[in-house]
């Protein structure tokens, strides 16, 4: 759109003299900076759970959760290797915790989401309340809250971590602390019974004198049982959206906004045989398959997916979803940031 002017020897000489002063002429780079539409360098990518699971268990034999702080394999976008990024703003990892282990308590300004993939004997604790992690549960660790994880069961437990790490890095806004741990267990003290937050905030009511103290949802656990029932009912009552079937976003019930201020989280249902229309959105999106098999075409790539697989659709690439069975997909993206700034666009509107 903005063409580069001709490079004359006189101009080249000028640029060379500018360089030591850390100066660059805009007209030489404008075309790269301001483009007609997004052209993300991120690539569409797909990780088969079957291919990763053994590596996670091998990591479990090589390093303890305590020594690692968090035993995680990071899913890096193939075009962004070395950046711990799955899109320009989002991080994705798979974390494993073995029976008897504790991942010690700490807090940081990065927000995290957990999406439970395998096993059901682990808990995560957030600011004094523990929640048992079950497959398909979506759990939030809000910015600057103490959190630790433990496995009191007999099997390894594995979940997907989604964090806004690249965004916070870009903003130079990272702070972190480790809990001063007198007990030596690594775990923070439990101060509220399990289910407390869900009872207070997760039933379309709020305690009458409650005032929000953060922008993150006070409900930090969205059990799969409830999400699945919602999808089930809506699938029966319709209508289905041509591109995304039945798609719900997880919200902060106190504000109506997204459950996490920097990350949107969604769960969607695609009926068996669904062949979705093509859609583009400006938020690069990470998907985790909960149920069913199907395929997704992203730009010129097509991925066949199965339960627990993860795939990423970069910003503004055409995406279409197909389901061979009744399928459920969880996904997350930076949509709330884009919406807050009036930047979000979809080809549908
Ligand atoms: C973190 O705190 C967790 O608490 C997981 O489980 C992954 C990646 C980078 C920075 C902090 C966790 C993380 C992380």
């Amino acid at each position: 759109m903005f063409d580069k002017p001709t490079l004359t020897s006189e101009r080249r000489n000028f640029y060379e003299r500018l360089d030591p002063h850390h100066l660059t002429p805009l007209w030489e780079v404008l075309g790269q900076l301001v483009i007609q539409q997004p052209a993300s360098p991120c690539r569409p990518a797909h990780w088969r759970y079957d291919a990763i699971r053994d590596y996670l268990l091998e990591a479990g034999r090589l390093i303890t959760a305590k020594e690692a702080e968090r035993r995680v394999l990071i899913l890096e976008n193939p075009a962004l290797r070395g950046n711990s990024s799955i899109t320009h703003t989002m991080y994705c990892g798979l974390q494993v915790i073995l029976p008897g282990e504790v991942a010690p308590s700490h807090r940081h300004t990065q927000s995290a989401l957990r999406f439970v993939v395998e096993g059901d004997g682990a808990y995560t604790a957030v600011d004094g309340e523990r929640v048992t992690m079950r497959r398909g549960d979506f759990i939030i660790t809000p910015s600057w809250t103490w959190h630790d994880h433990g496995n009191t069961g007999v099997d390894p437990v594995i979940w997907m971590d989604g964090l806004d790490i690249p965004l916070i890095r870009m903003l130079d806004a990272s702070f972190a602390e480790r809990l001063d741990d007198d007990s030596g267990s690594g775990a923070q003290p439990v101060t509220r019974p399990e289910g407390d937050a869900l009872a207070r905030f997760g039933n379309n009511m709020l305690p009458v004198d409650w005032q929000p103290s953060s922008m993150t949802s006070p409900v930090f656990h969205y059990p799969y049982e409830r999400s699945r029932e919602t999808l089930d009912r809506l699938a029966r009552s319709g209508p289905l959206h041509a591109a995304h079937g039945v798609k719900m976003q997880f919200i902060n019930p106190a504000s109506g906004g997204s459950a996490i201020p920097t990350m949107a989280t969604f769960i969607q249902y695609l009926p068996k045989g669904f062949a979705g229309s093509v859609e583009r959105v400006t938020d690069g999106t990470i998907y985790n398959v909960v149920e069913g098999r199907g395929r997704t075409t992203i730009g010129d790539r097509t991925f066949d997916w199965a339960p627990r697989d993860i795939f990423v659709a970069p910003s503004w690439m055409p995406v279409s979803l197909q389901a061979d069975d009744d399928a459920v997909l969880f996904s997350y993206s930076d949509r709330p940031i884009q919406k807050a700034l009036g930047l979000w666009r979809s080809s549908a509107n």
Side-chain angles (χ1 to χ4, degrees):
M1 190 172 60
F2 300 113
D3 296 330
K4 252 196 207 187
T6 316
L7 186 60
T8 62
S9 59
E10 207 177 9
R11 287 174 180 171
R12 191 200 304 273
N13 174 277
F14 175 56
Y15 303 159
E16 283 168 7
R17 285 182 292 114
L18 289 176
D19 188 63
H21 302 279
H22 309 128
L23 292 170
T24 293
L26 172 63
W27 57 89
E28 286 294 314
V29 292
L30 184 58
Q32 295 150 245
L33 299 179
V34 180
I35 56 182
Q36 222 165 0
Q37 53 178 310
S40 179
C42 300
R43 287 215 290 267
H46 171 216
W47 289 263
R48 286 182 205 288
Y49 188 69
D50 286 348
I52 307 177
R53 189 176 182 276
D54 285 346
Y55 290 122
L56 284 168
L57 298 178
E58 191 174 340
R61 294 189 290 273
L62 277 174
I63 191 162
T64 63
K66 192 171 176 195
E67 190 185 353
E69 185 82 13
R70 296 296 186 262
R71 189 194 295 107
V72 178
L73 296 181
I74 305 171
L75 282 64
E76 288 195 314
N77 191 287
L80 304 174
R81 293 305 309 274
N83 286 295
S84 304
S85 303
I86 192 161
T87 67
H88 268 156
T89 52
M90 298 285 114
Y91 158 106
C92 182
L94 280 167
Q95 178 160 178
V96 59
I97 185 157
L98 300 176
E101 286 192 317
V102 171
S105 203
H106 67 204
R107 62 177 179 175
H108 39 70
T109 47
Q110 289 82 359
S111 296
L113 66 88
R114 324 280 168 197
F115 190 74
V116 186
V117 168
E118 180 181 327
D120 59 7
Y123 68 83
T124 187
V126 175
D127 271 353
E129 182 175 336
R130 285 185 182 179
V131 54
T132 302
M133 304 173 95
R134 297 200 172 82
R135 171 143 171 75
D137 287 1
F138 158 52
I139 297 162
I140 301 174
T141 310
S143 173
W144 208 240
T145 53
W146 293 108
H147 57 284
D148 45 82
H149 322 296
N151 186 344
T152 52
V154 292
D155 296 314
V157 175
I158 298 172
W159 64 83
M160 177 178 75
D161 290 314
L163 287 92
D164 51 11
I165 287 175
L167 174 80
I168 303 302
R169 178 171 56 199
M170 187 172 70
L171 299 172
D172 284 334
S174 174
F175 291 89
E177 282 180 358
R178 294 192 76 191
L179 186 69
D180 232 349
D181 181 28
D182 299 332
S183 73
S185 70
Q188 64 182 303
V190 173
T191 57
R192 281 173 287 128
E194 178 157 5
D196 188 83
L198 202 55
R200 270 177 218 274
F201 305 106
N203 289 316
N204 296 319
M205 295 182 278
L206 293 174
V208 68
D209 294 321
W210 179 79
Q211 292 290 335
S213 57
S214 93
M215 291 169 73
T216 305
S217 170
V219 177
F220 69 99
H221 176 213
Y222 296 74
Y224 188 56
E225 205 175 36
R226 291 197 188 182
S227 320
R228 190 67 182 89
E229 193 200 337
T230 303
L231 293 178
D232 224 32
R233 283 179 183 269
L234 296 188
R236 273 181 266 136
S237 54
L240 278 183
H241 186 280
H244 46 247
V246 175
K247 187 167 182 178
M248 304 295 282
Q249 51 182 318
F250 292 96
I251 61 152
N252 173 349
S255 69
S258 71
I260 305 171
T262 49
M263 293 189 277
T265 45
F266 307 96
I267 195 145
Q268 75 195 101
Y269 169 83
L270 312 172
K272 181 181 166 88
F274 184 78
S277 58
V278 176
E279 190 174 49
R280 295 176 179 221
V281 289
T282 50
D283 48 327
T285 305
I286 301 95
Y287 291 84
N288 190 309
V289 181
V290 196
E291 295 180 32
R293 288 171 183 272
R295 76 198 47 76
T296 299
T297 301
I298 306 166
D300 58 6
R301 303 289 309 274
T302 295
F303 303 123
D304 278 293
W305 40 258
R308 301 179 171 89
D309 287 5
I310 294 173
F311 57 92
V312 57
S315 166
W316 211 237
M317 288 196 186
V319 175
S320 59
L321 301 166
Q322 291 176 34
D324 298 337
D325 315 309
D326 284 348
V328 177
L329 305 175
F330 173 85
S331 57
Y332 70 97
S333 76
D334 62 16
R335 188 174 300 187
I337 309 168
Q338 297 201 27
K339 283 201 163 174
L341 303 175
L343 295 170
W344 185 74
R345 288 201 200 190
S346 144
S347 56
N349 47 37

